[in-house]
Amino acid sequence: AVCGRVCPQEKQCESRCIYNKMKKPPVAIGYLERFAADFERENIKANNIELRPSAVEKNGMNIAVVGSGPAGLSFAGDMIKKGYNVTVYEALHEIGGVLKYGIPEFRLPNVVVEAEIDGLRAEGVNFVKDCVIGKTISYDQLHQLGYDGIFVASGAGLPRFMGIPGENFIGIMSANEYLTRINLMGAGRPGEDTPVLKGNRVAVIGGGNTAMDSVRTALRQGSKTAMIVYRRSLEEMPARVEEVHHAQEEGVEFMTLCNPIEYLADEKGRVRAMKVQRMELGEPDASGRRSPVPIEGAIEEIEVDLVIVSVGVSPNPLIPNAIPELEISRRGTIVVNEESMRSSIYDIYAGGDIVRGGATVILAMGDGRRAAAAMDKELMKQEK
Ligand SMILES: Cc1cc2nc3c(=O)[nH]c(=O)nc-3n(C[C@H](O)[C@H](O)[C@H](O)COP(=O)(O)OP(=O)(O)OC[C@H]3O[C@@H](n4cnc5c(N)ncnc54)[C@H](O)[C@@H]3O)c2cc1C
């Protein structure tokens, strides 16, 4: 149900549909999956069906999962069904990772995520919230608690900024902060204490899914003008095609081939404008997309009163910092064997964004499943 709502089907399942070869539109696999999963969820609710654990014999081994995003949840689901005792530790006060704190309700309703979590609870997965592994509980303490295997799925929640002048002015924040305030902390809803700045002219910098979620959220928060500022053209945007269409339909302005180079503030230090450099497309870069090249002298000043920076994320540094023996790549990701998802430490496996950098929900879920299969195989071998 989650994937049917958020996966970039045009690049994943639908791009491999045999209908493409027949020059016909691909089968809408995502929508079909979404229909089936929604039907099942509503059926369970309407008929008050009690969720029961699978009839599987417990093997007495204990597994810890760090992080409750899609990688952690899919891993937990597979391991519990293989007979392990599974505990998922989550730093935040809600289970779900980006599915809860990042992707807004209008795109992925919380009831859908909750239904998946309820299913795991019914299977017997134990969830511990407000617990930061590496701070509240150390790696050594996890061993003392008797865990036989650890799966790290701590995501890529560290926002990047552009490092341009004025980026610290009031009214400029990361998409992570903006979306977390609204989605997780209830900012903007009557009766909630969490504040959030509401702009009249909001600029969201970037062209990914996070940027689309932020700009559409800004419209819902009441901004008069909400614009995407992206340094390449519409064709190169990494966001799902559907998200771009929805944003266009809702009246988002697209300033493509534009890159902010400086922010300007009023006397109180609050952002009032941004200078943007107009770009043109040059030769393809390493990603295969045509790279943006500045047009000399083409600099404009544009009025803005809220800027949301959505130019990518870095791996969460908490676990890499807490376990110095863990092999970490130059990008800050945990290095794993691609097939088994096992790290340089024998009992730690990892998957999702902490291994890939910012990627997608379905890739994170696939990692969780591969890691579960490999960890189970290894632990069963040790048992013999
Ligand atoms: C706004 C937004 C929109 C997106 N839209 C899409 C989309 O449309 N389609 C798509 O496929 N992908 C999308 N993505 C990307 C996708 O959400 C991620 O690739 C995916 O969630 C990664 O899953 P994960 O399980 O690795 O990590 P996450 O979902 O990031 O979960 C990691 C969890 O680990 C917790 N954690 C971190 N460190 C610790 C610790 N030390 N102890 C305990 N807990 C810890 C974090 O609090 C977090 O809850 C989007 C991302 C964002 C931010």
Side-chain angles (χ1 to χ4, degrees):
V2 169
C3 187
R5 285 180 164 81
V6 301
C7 280
Q9 285 102 11
E10 69 275 6
K11 290 187 203 138
Q12 293 175 339
C13 50
E14 288 184 8
S15 73
R16 298 195 195 157
C17 179
I18 193 141
Y19 266 34
N20 289 323
K21 286 193 185 150
M22 295 151 71
K23 304 258 177 289
K24 288 184 178 173
V27 174
I29 305 168
Y31 279 108
L32 284 172
E33 283 182 355
R34 175 173 169 174
F35 174 80
D38 285 354
F39 182 82
E40 165 84 348
R41 197 185 63 249
E42 277 151 27
N43 185 37
I44 289 173
K45 199 173 155 212
N47 295 306
N48 245 335
I49 297 172
E50 195 191 334
L51 299 170
R52 295 220 183 102
S54 318
V56 53
E57 211 178 304
K58 286 280 165 201
N59 62 24
M61 281 193 256
N62 303 315
I63 306 297
V65 182
V66 182
S68 68
L73 295 181
S74 70
F75 174 87
D78 277 9
M79 288 305 261
I80 199 90
K81 288 192 196 108
K82 291 178 195 292
Y84 295 89
N85 300 315
V86 182
T87 302
V88 178
Y89 291 95
E90 170 54 53
L92 298 172
H93 61 278
E94 285 271 359
I95 301 298
V98 168
L99 305 179
K100 276 278 184 65
Y101 79 76
I103 304 179
E105 180 75 13
F106 60 79
R107 197 148 74 82
L108 179 59
N110 279 348
V111 287
V112 173
V113 184
E114 276 307 328
E116 304 286 338
I117 298 165
D118 286 347
L120 294 174
R121 275 205 187 94
E123 287 283 357
V125 174
N126 180 29
F127 289 99
V128 180
K129 300 179 196 172
D130 300 310
C131 182
V132 184
I133 299 298
K135 297 269 181 210
T136 327
I137 298 181
S138 70
Y139 172 52
D140 288 344
Q141 282 168 327
L142 282 182
H143 281 150
Q144 287 157 18
L145 289 169
Y147 289 111
D148 301 289
I150 299 163
F151 180 61
V152 178
S154 51
L158 186 68
R160 278 192 217 138
F161 284 90
M162 293 177 67
I164 58 176
E167 227 174 3
N168 285 330
F169 287 139
I170 302 165
I172 303 180
M173 69 183 89
S174 71
N176 256 38
E177 175 177 346
Y178 183 66
L179 291 172
T180 304
R181 278 174 186 269
I182 292 166
N183 297 336
L184 194 72
M185 318 288 285
R189 286 206 289 270
E192 298 284 352
D193 293 334
T194 308
V196 70
L197 287 173
K198 291 188 184 181
N200 274 325
R201 287 184 58 80
V202 182
V204 175
I205 318 300
N209 288 316
T210 310
M212 295 308 142
D213 285 344
S214 303
V215 80
R216 295 176 67 200
T217 298
L219 279 180
R220 284 161 176 77
Q221 290 284 312
S223 70
K224 289 201 183 83
T225 304
M227 52 193 143
I228 284 284
V229 181
Y230 181 56
R231 62 195 182 126
R232 302 183 202 238
S233 75
L234 214 54
E235 284 75 56
E236 282 84 26
M237 273 194 183
R240 292 173 78 216
V241 170
E242 193 173 295
E243 297 327 313
V244 177
H245 286 166
H246 286 160
Q248 284 168 328
E249 278 169 8
E250 288 174 8
V252 168
E253 288 179 19
F254 281 76
M255 287 187 62
T256 52
L257 292 166
C258 268
N259 202 28
I261 51 170
E262 184 181 354
Y263 297 106
L264 309 170
D266 62 17
E267 65 288 351
K268 290 189 177 139
R270 177 152 184 190
V271 66
R272 63 165 182 82
M274 63 180 176
K275 279 190 188 168
V276 296
Q277 164 75 65
R278 291 270 170 195
M279 316 290 274
E280 60 189 350
L281 289 179
E283 293 301 310
D285 63 12
S287 71
R289 295 177 301 170
R290 291 181 66 192
S291 55
V293 182
I295 303 173
E296 216 186 300
I299 295 174
E300 279 174 44
E301 201 176 294
I302 292 164
E303 259 182 57
V304 286
D305 55 6
L306 178 61
V307 177
I308 299 160
V309 183
S310 179
V311 293
V313 283
S314 297
N316 189 318
L318 267 164
I319 293 291
N321 289 345
I323 312 175
E325 310 84 51
L326 204 54
E327 189 184 342
I328 304 299
S329 74
R330 284 205 345 236
R331 292 162 56 218
T333 53
I334 297 180
V335 177
V336 293
N337 173 300
E338 271 176 37
E339 269 162 42
S340 67
M341 310 308 288
R342 194 181 197 174
S343 76
S344 57
I345 297 182
Y346 76 101
D347 64 345
I348 299 186
Y349 292 61
D353 281 4
I354 188 65
V355 164
R356 298 174 178 273
T360 64
V361 170
I362 198 69
L363 289 172
M365 293 177 82
D367 286 354
R369 302 206 64 182
R370 267 205 317 287
M375 189 189 278
D376 173 52
K377 200 168 156 198
E378 184 57 32
L379 289 174
M380 287 299 129
K381 208 161 70 190
Q382 287 171 19
E383 269 285 284
K384 282 184 189 153

